[in-house]
Amino acid sequence: MADLALGQAKQQGRSTFCLYGGEWREERDHRIQLEHGLLRAINRNELYLVYQPKLDTATMSVVGVEALVRWQHPHLGELGPGSFVPLAEKGGLIWPLTEWVLKEACRQAAQWYRNEALDLNVAVNMSPTVFAHEELEQAIEAALHDSGLPPDRLTLEITEQSLMVYEAEAVGVLERLQRMGINVQIDDFGTGYSSLSSLKHYHFQALKIDKSFVSDVVTSSEDAAIATTIMFMSKCLDMEAIAEGVENEAQKDFLASIDCRLMQGFYFARPMLPSEMSRFISRLTPAKPGE
Ligand code: C2E
Ligand code: MG
Ligand code: MG
Ligand code: MG
């Protein structure tokens, strides 16, 4: 999949990559093209969601799925969020994008339940710029109402950045979301600035241990210490911890040894289309005796 950084699309076949003169203009034009395209994409269903399971590795069951947005661009092919979410954040399109993702993720989770008897909690990523948006709670209520999804089947993944940007409003918003029954997890935990103070003010359902700590957890004593500390802290605070970016068995084994049961990563499953989920889950579940 093309997860283009800004301007990378123009890089092909060029030996140099400089940020001035014609190249810069081209990059700006490329950005404008993407910005214009994004509005069209939202309205014309060029966006779609893939879902990555979060597993309880002690039982090998799926405890939820994370919705990750993709863009099937008419000319550039499939784009990952790295190439357009930051643009949407800067260009004022992140709100319509988020509304669309919320709606679609809730619709899909409700459909899984209705059509395939899959009862899955679905997580949606929130950019800092939309967290505490004045219409956030309304948009969530509408997405739940329209789909019929119960609020406790929805999770919001927010970053520590979100809590910093809207420090004053954040606690109130979080409390209201919690009262609605919605789960809130801290994404990329440990990479932001406000980690510890945010934990003091609000009870999150889970902390997601950032994949930058997981990738070298087996070989780096620092990363191992950080992962172990986050585990310990989450336990003391009565929150769950989910390790993200688990890619191999050694990482999984280390995490299990520090009592981290909840994991997400390519080792278990790559993000997949909704139609693939049922098969993935049925393969995980050991057949019951007599079946
Ligand atoms: P994130 O929320 O931390 O999501 C995890 C990212 O790590 C996903 O990349 C996922 O595909 C990738 N990943 C999962 N397991 C592994 C693994 O084992 N190894 C490695 N190397 N990577 C793994 P993706 O889909 O490209 O998303 C990147 C980021 O874009 C997300 O990070 C999230 O911050 C943002 N994003 C994705 N969808 C949305 C969305 O709908 N709205 C907003 N605002 N942001 C989104
Ligand atoms: Mg996330
Ligand atoms: Mg994450
Ligand atoms: Mg991350």
Side-chain angles (χ1 to χ4, degrees), residues 245-270:
V246 180
E247 290 183 347
N248 57 51
E249 193 169 10
Q251 292 165 345
K252 182 196 116 176
D253 290 344
F254 178 87
L255 291 160
S257 78
I258 59 168
D259 230 7
C260 178
R261 291 170 60 144
L262 304 180
M263 302 186 205
Q264 184 182 1
F266 294 168
Y267 179 66
F268 303 101
R270 290 191 174 252

Side-chain angles (χ1 to χ4, degrees), residues 3 49 52 66-70 81-82 85 89 94 97-98 101 125-127 157 187-188 211 244-247 264-267 271:
D3 197 16
L49 298 178
Q52 188 180 33
E66 177 175 6
L68 297 158
V69 69
R70 303 287 183 261
V85 166
E89 286 172 349
I94 192 65
L97 178 92
T98 305
V101 173
N125 289 285
M126 292 280 126
S127 293
E157 294 193 9
D187 207 351
D188 307 337
K211 59 174 177 279
E244 64 173 22
V246 180
E247 290 183 347
Q264 184 182 1
F266 294 168
Y267 179 66

Side-chain angles (χ1 to χ4, degrees), residues 78-191:
E78 187 182 312
L79 303 177
S83 46
F84 62 91
V85 166
L87 272 186
E89 286 172 349
K90 287 192 206 103
L93 288 174
I94 192 65
W95 178 246
L97 178 92
T98 305
E99 262 190 311
W100 182 85
V101 173
L102 265 170
K103 221 176 148 152
E104 175 59 16
C106 291
R107 190 201 60 76
Q108 181 58 57
Q111 185 180 320
W112 268 322
Y113 184 69
R114 263 198 307 272
N115 295 358
E116 301 179 63
L118 295 179
D119 189 359
L120 297 171
N121 183 295
V122 70
V124 170
N125 289 285
M126 292 280 126
S127 293
T129 41
V130 300
F131 186 70
H133 185 283
E134 52 182 3
E135 287 169 34
L136 177 68
E137 288 157 71
Q138 228 176 301
I140 290 172
E141 274 167 3
L144 293 172
H145 177 266
D146 294 351
S147 62
L149 189 75
D152 64 357
R153 302 298 197 280
L154 177 65
T155 296
L156 303 184
E157 294 193 9
I158 68 173
T159 60
E160 296 155 65
Q161 193 64 27
S162 307
L163 300 168
M164 289 189 65
V165 176
Y166 295 100
E167 209 171 353
E169 292 100 328
V171 174
V173 175
L174 287 167
E175 279 171 3
R176 285 195 296 279
L177 292 173
Q178 195 181 38
R179 269 203 297 277
M180 283 166 73
I182 291 157
N183 303 289
V184 180
Q185 301 181 345
I186 295 271
D187 207 351
D188 307 337
F189 185 75
T191 60

